[in-house]
Amino acid sequence: MLKRELIIKKRFLDKYNNAKSELIFKNHYELIVCVMLSAQCLDSRVNLITPSLFANYPDINSLANANLMNIKELIKSCNFYQNKAINLIKMAKSVVENHNSIIPMNFNDLTKLAGVGEKTANVVLCEGIGANVMAVDTHIFRVSKRLKISNAKTPNDCAKELTKLFKTDLDKLHKGIVLFGRYICKAKKPDCNNCFLNDLCDEFKQQKNS
């Protein structure tokens, strides 16, 4: 790792040492549901949806036996709610039938579940057990490009590049970079003047010199 990348890593770890997901969950069951719902949807919106969802379906067994129309009604304010409702029930049935009603906390089993791709699986592992894995969402993808720590064309390829680059503390970096992208290095009107990495950002330097 080059000195610049070492500095970037250290600053993220120092700044976001105790960072946590903004999704609200109590256990692995609630976690996987929250993460599945959060695809193309704000965490704040998910947090408004899940209280009534979990009140009606408090565990994986109840979700596996849920009525599809009821699930759709409960999550209808979420983007792509119809497909998500179908996948939530399919996921739950698979966990009940193949994993003794326990959410499997390993990548291979998670990615075999309906609605769980590589990013979702890694977020679940990151948040659920602090696994040393990197999940790349839109925020991390954007930040990685701006800081020029990844040239990948897809989020999954970006995750592989960042994993190879940083190697350790990937769960902490994931959580920190997400918050950094959400509140500082925003897609529109990034807060460059208050950014703790602006001395390492070519885009910021170009703005100052333009």
Side-chain angles (χ1 to χ4, degrees), residues 157-170:
D157 285 342
C158 181
K160 292 172 184 174
E161 286 191 1
L162 295 182
T163 298
K164 185 177 180 180
L165 176 66
F166 291 127
K167 295 182 176 62
T168 61
D169 296 305
L170 298 178

Side-chain angles (χ1 to χ4, degrees), residues 21-194:
S21 169
E22 293 186 319
L23 292 170
I24 299 172
F25 58 89
K26 298 176 182 175
N27 49 51
H28 291 168
Y29 159 66
E30 292 189 0
L31 170 61
I32 194 170
V33 171
C34 286
V35 177
M36 289 175 68
L37 289 174
S38 71
Q40 304 296 313
C41 186
L42 296 174
D43 287 1
S44 56
R45 168 57 52 187
V46 174
N47 290 336
L48 291 174
I49 292 169
T50 50
S52 58
L53 178 64
F54 294 144
N56 283 274
Y57 303 99
D59 53 42
I60 198 74
N61 291 287
S62 57
L63 183 60
N65 292 299
N67 176 276
L68 178 59
M69 294 306 297
N70 288 345
I71 298 294
K72 286 183 179 181
E73 182 64 25
L74 288 167
I75 69 169
K76 65 182 180 181
S77 64
C78 185
N79 293 338
F80 307 108
Y81 75 95
Q82 299 200 54
N83 284 337
K84 288 179 180 178
I86 292 169
N87 284 332
L88 283 171
I89 295 175
K90 285 184 177 179
M91 177 277 294
K93 287 182 181 297
S94 182
V95 171
V96 170
E97 294 169 4
N98 301 316
H99 301 284
N100 298 315
S101 299
I102 298 171
I103 306 297
M105 298 304 284
N106 68 80
F107 182 82
N108 288 336
D109 285 335
L110 282 171
T111 52
K112 291 176 183 175
L113 301 174
V116 179
E118 291 184 21
K119 189 200 87 170
T120 297
N122 281 335
V123 172
V124 169
L125 292 171
C126 224
E127 301 291 349
I129 59 175
N132 187 49
V133 294
M134 175 59 68
V136 171
D137 67 352
T138 55
H139 300 297
I140 297 180
F141 196 52
R142 179 177 65 256
V143 169
S144 298
K145 296 256 183 220
R146 285 179 174 170
L147 290 175
K148 296 184 178 178
I149 53 177
S150 172
N151 294 314
K153 291 182 169 58
T154 68
N156 285 342
D157 285 342
C158 181
K160 292 172 184 174
E161 286 191 1
L162 295 182
T163 298
K164 185 177 180 180
L165 176 66
F166 291 127
K167 295 182 176 62
T168 61
D169 296 305
L170 298 178
D171 61 316
K172 294 177 182 177
L173 288 168
H174 161 77
K175 296 170 189 175
I177 301 174
V178 167
L179 294 176
F180 175 74
R182 188 171 288 166
Y183 298 110
I184 297 178
C185 195
K186 298 173 286 188
K188 297 180 179 179
K189 297 182 179 180
D191 190 9
C192 297
N193 289 324
N194 293 314

Side-chain angles (χ1 to χ4, degrees), residues 1 28 128 210:
M1 196 187 315
H28 291 168
S210 61

